[in-house]
Amino acid sequence: MNSQEPDLRKQRTDLLALCVEHLGEHAGRQLAAMARPGVRLDAVDDEELAAGECGVGGPALLEPGTPWPEYEGIPLSLLAVLDTDALAPELGDQLPCRPGLLNFFYFDPDFSYEERQRLPGDHFEDPRTWRVIAADPARAEEVPAPDPARRYAWSPLCATPMITIPDLWEDNVVHDLDFGPGHEETSPWDLTSSFIDAWRESGFHAMDSGAHQAFGWPSLLQGGVMPEEGTHTHLLQIDPFDQWSFGDAGVVYFTIPTEALRSGDFSQVAFNGQSC
């Protein structure tokens, strides 16, 4: 972790005060109670500052004999590797199992647009076009992506813990906030100009362009990606990095049902891509 780690206990106290000030006692305490620790991931030049094996691009880290994931016989591209052992101390019950290394793949072959159009199926929605594969760090080996998958230069990531709350785009999570007597019809969207501006100016909202995020509540461009509070875990948000972005400067999110994470079943990971 970053040697200049923030005081998360103080952040939680300050967050509660900010929520109550702008949302009122009822809704403010409810929203603050939804806060989850997350980890901001930034590219670093010095590998010694990296959080274990965390990085974007580069080779996959797979156990011997693990097949490279494919879609219609075409290999997926490796986007990132998370070293959950390095991140675990800050995540608490968000990491109910210790999966070791997590490899994040996505279908992004070095094909022309015309070649992609000739592929069978809907490769924007087909769950075979993304994959998360866990590996034991003690057994994992570097495996370069086979052609015609794209290969991205490896960039190590340092980790900084932070407090996160659900974005208002997560309307299925925050829509039911209770604002107290006399405010039964109040919508979370009515609070955008006051609370969200205060949230971003407070220093809590630590995400910006070029940073990635593991766990916690993701920072969204458009609609929500978490079905409901407490049932799913956000694994990784990947912002654009050198050589890669989703669509037009877009962001991708990998989430998993919490029970599936608990049992180590990464076949249930969901993918969501959002573009500006």
Side-chain angles (χ1 to χ4, degrees), residues 83-124:
D83 186 339
T84 63
D85 289 340
L87 304 180
E90 305 299 333
L91 296 174
D93 60 6
Q94 281 191 95
L95 199 61
C97 71
R98 296 296 287 268
L101 302 172
L102 295 180
N103 295 265
F104 292 80
F105 297 89
Y106 184 63
F107 183 68
D108 187 27
D110 191 10
F111 281 2
S112 67
Y113 178 78
E114 290 74 18
E115 288 175 300
R116 285 174 180 258
Q117 291 299 103
R118 291 195 291 268
L119 292 172
D122 184 352
H123 54 272
F124 290 104

Side-chain angles (χ1 to χ4, degrees), residues 6 8 11 38-42 160-165 199-213 217-219 237 239:
L8 297 188
Q11 280 196 14
V39 179
R40 172 178 167 140
L41 299 167
D42 290 279
T160 304
M162 63 182 188
I163 296 297
T164 68
I165 59 171
W199 165 251
R200 293 182 182 276
E201 293 171 3
S202 68
F204 294 114
H205 189 278
M207 290 298 293
D208 55 26
S209 179
H212 317 286
Q213 182 188 323
W217 292 97
S219 178
Q237 167 184 336
D239 277 47

Side-chain angles (χ1 to χ4, degrees), residues 147-172:
D147 292 331
R150 294 186 193 273
R151 299 188 182 106
Y152 305 107
W154 183 65
S155 177
L157 299 174
C158 69
T160 304
M162 63 182 188
I163 296 297
T164 68
I165 59 171
D167 195 297
L168 286 186
W169 283 109
E170 299 284 7
D171 53 0
N172 57 339

Side-chain angles (χ1 to χ4, degrees), residues 168-181:
L168 286 186
W169 283 109
E170 299 284 7
D171 53 0
N172 57 339
V173 174
V174 301
H175 185 269
D176 293 330
L177 287 175
D178 177 10
F179 289 86

Side-chain angles (χ1 to χ4, degrees), residues 85 110 146 159 259 262 267 270:
D85 289 340
D110 191 10
E259 285 305 310
R262 192 180 306 279
S267 69

Side-chain angles (χ1 to χ4, degrees), residues 19-20 22-35 165-192 195-196 217 229:
C19 288
V20 170
H22 289 273
L23 306 181
E25 190 73 21
H26 284 74
R29 289 188 175 278
Q30 291 169 55
L31 186 60
M34 294 182 190
I165 59 171
D167 195 297
L168 286 186
W169 283 109
E170 299 284 7
D171 53 0
N172 57 339
V173 174
V174 301
H175 185 269
D176 293 330
L177 287 175
D178 177 10
F179 289 86
H183 298 279
E184 288 80 5
E185 302 303 319
T186 300
S187 166
W189 290 104
D190 296 337
L191 305 166
T192 301
F195 174 70
I196 294 301
W217 292 97
E229 164 71 13

Side-chain angles (χ1 to χ4, degrees), residues 1 14 25 30 56 67 71 86 89 150 156 170 188 213 232 241 246:
M1 287 290 174
D14 293 345
E25 190 73 21
Q30 291 169 55
V56 291
Y71 169 71
R150 294 186 193 273
E170 299 284 7
Q213 182 188 323
H232 283 64
F241 60 88
F246 180 80

